[in-house]
Amino acid sequence: FSAPTSSQVVPGETALAFFTAQNPTDEDITGISTYNVLPYEAGQYFNKIQCFCFEEQRLNPKEEVDMPVFFYLDPEFAEDPQLAKVEEVTLSYTFFRARE
């Protein structure tokens, strides 16, 4: 996956990001994606509304697609004293081949 460069997200407001997935092989690939949020403590405030990771995805040979995730950070993120100095939250995805 290629991630968007960056976007500003205000806690409590929805945001849309696109991740680019590419199948560099000569065969179809079907898989599922899992996400990770850093710093770890921010993960409890990350809420996905709609995500390509909810279902298996099939990529044709040499195909490249933009996959959307619609999300928000819970407004309580801004009130958490453990995250007072956090200025950046990183969302990443890992694609795993599904079992046939």
Side-chain angles (χ1 to χ4, degrees), residues 46-64:
F46 180 77
N47 294 283
K48 296 178 297 215
I49 299 167
Q50 187 175 7
C51 182
F52 60 90
C53 60
F54 292 159
E55 299 176 353
E56 286 186 353
Q57 302 294 321
R58 182 180 185 93
L59 297 175
N60 295 316
K62 308 295 183 196
E63 183 178 25
E64 181 175 298

Side-chain angles (χ1 to χ4, degrees), residues 9 14 18 26 33 69-70 93:
V9 177
T14 58
F18 289 89
D26 292 325
S33 299
V69 58
F70 190 46
Y93 283 88

